[in-house]
Amino acid sequence: MNEPVEVWRLPEHDAGAGRRACGWTVGPDGELVVLLVPGEKPSGACGRTCPDPLPDAELVTVTPEGERRTALRGLAVDPDHLAPLPGGRLLVASYRADEEPGGWAPNAVVFGPDGEPEHELVLGDDIRTLVADRDGRIWMAFGDEGIYGDHPMAHPGLVGADPAGRMVWRPGPDELPGYPLEGLAGATEGRAVWLAWYPGSTASYLTRIDPAGRSVSRRSPVRLPLGFAVGGRQGIFLTHAGELVRCLLVGKEWKETGRRRLRLPGELDRERAYGRDGVLRFRSGDAWYRVAA
């Protein structure tokens, strides 16, 4: 099994200035995207205290060519989820949504390539995983508080939306092997998207949705994956216990072919990991790693 390769580490000058990585994600081309904020008081899903708006937020984009930094102006939502969009734009979304007397308050903002906010979106409540594909569609899997709550976008459990927040995909009747209860992780492979979720306590599933909106669901070889990546018939899964599990799709079933425990410095980020085109990225301590399926 291949060893994880370090992609980027929080520079000492940022750490020394009290700047911490809050949200992070991976773009469609494998670029690492990290949001740096001041302060180190952990609270909420993104692990920090979020004033309204958040001052001095800086976006770091890491590619093989180097590092690019962009200041985000007036970030007023909790950055629980980040998603690069076409044209150098960035979606920042809170996993919770607030219902007000006039309707649901926006819980996401799209920033332009200059770091200025362009428009707000109303996405569903209790977003457990969020990933954007190459075409800018936003794919979400929700938690039970959203699915059984009052926000209509969360009710299907798995949803695709356009960059304006309009729903463009939801599973049809009997399309899934059960009714979603909790979203787990997301990945992309080419122009297709994968969502991991579970309907109850017995099994979890991987649902692949192609660009035409057709879906296929198969039982996940890992009960509760923290993250996963798929390339062809090869898959790699990261568990909350810090194990990497390699799998092969044989017929219609995923078969485990190898397993190893991570031994890296720092604490594993157990909130998120992302798969793009067969490569899984994850965080441990103040460093980010990649490993291929």
Side-chain angles (χ1 to χ4, degrees):
M1 183 178 291
N2 294 337
E3 291 288 333
V5 176
E6 183 175 312
V7 175
W8 188 74
R9 179 178 294 272
L10 183 70
E12 290 185 5
H13 64 83
D14 285 307
R19 298 173 67 76
R20 296 293 179 264
C22 180
W24 70 276
T25 191
V26 177
D29 293 321
E31 65 273 27
L32 175 67
V33 180
V34 181
L35 184 67
L36 299 184
V37 297
E40 48 186 314
K41 295 181 180 178
S43 74
C46 70
R48 57 108 179 115
T49 299
C50 182
D52 186 15
L54 180 69
D56 303 326
E58 187 174 45
L59 194 71
V60 183
T61 303
V62 183
T63 69
E65 288 71 42
E67 176 185 306
R68 182 176 71 254
R69 297 196 174 212
T70 306
L72 294 190
R73 314 290 183 186
L75 179 57
V77 298
D78 288 339
D80 300 313
H81 300 288
L82 308 180
L85 300 176
R89 296 174 298 157
L90 177 77
L91 172 74
V92 182
S94 170
Y95 91 103
R96 297 310 304 256
D98 294 326
E99 188 172 12
E100 299 178 343
W104 289 91
N107 63 331
V109 180
V110 173
F111 288 86
D114 58 357
E116 297 290 339
E118 290 186 346
H119 61 271
E120 297 178 323
L121 286 74
V122 179
L123 300 179
D125 186 33
D126 198 14
I127 306 169
R128 289 297 164 176
T129 188
L130 183 153
V131 64
D133 64 22
R134 292 186 177 275
D135 300 311
R137 290 171 296 191
I138 304 159
W139 298 90
M140 295 169 284
F142 296 90
D144 59 347
E145 292 186 48
I147 295 169
Y148 294 100
D150 296 325
H151 201 303
M153 180 172 274
H155 291 169
L158 310 180
V159 165
D162 66 14
R166 297 180 294 253
M167 191 185 302
V168 297
W169 181 88
R170 60 177 292 172
D174 302 321
E175 187 172 347
L176 300 178
Y179 194 78
L181 179 65
E182 190 82 9
L184 299 171
T188 61
E189 182 192 15
R191 295 182 64 221
V193 64
W194 294 76
L195 294 173
W197 57 279
Y198 66 80
S201 59
T202 56
S204 56
Y205 292 90
L206 303 178
T207 295
R208 181 184 187 273
I209 306 147
D210 69 18
R214 298 180 294 261
S215 75
V216 175
S217 298
R218 294 186 173 91
R219 188 162 179 162
S220 173
V222 172
R223 171 72 181 93
L224 299 174
L226 169 59
F228 66 99
V230 177
R233 306 186 74 82
Q234 304 281 342
I236 188 165
F237 297 77
L238 177 61
T239 72
H240 287 261
E243 288 185 314
L244 287 172
V245 183
R246 291 195 181 277
C247 298
L248 179 67
L249 184 60
V250 180
K252 296 183 178 181
E253 295 185 8
W254 287 98
K255 303 290 187 181
E256 182 177 327
T257 60
R259 179 183 295 250
R260 59 154 291 183
R261 183 172 294 277
L262 289 173
R263 300 193 183 281
L264 297 170
E267 183 179 355
L268 178 66
D269 178 355
R270 290 178 170 81
E271 291 291 331
R272 67 208 74 207
Y274 297 96
R276 297 284 195 179
D277 296 320
V279 179
L280 179 68
R281 275 88 169 177
F282 62 93
R283 177 185 182 183
S284 183
D286 277 335
W288 283 257
Y289 299 84
R290 57 170 284 167
V291 61

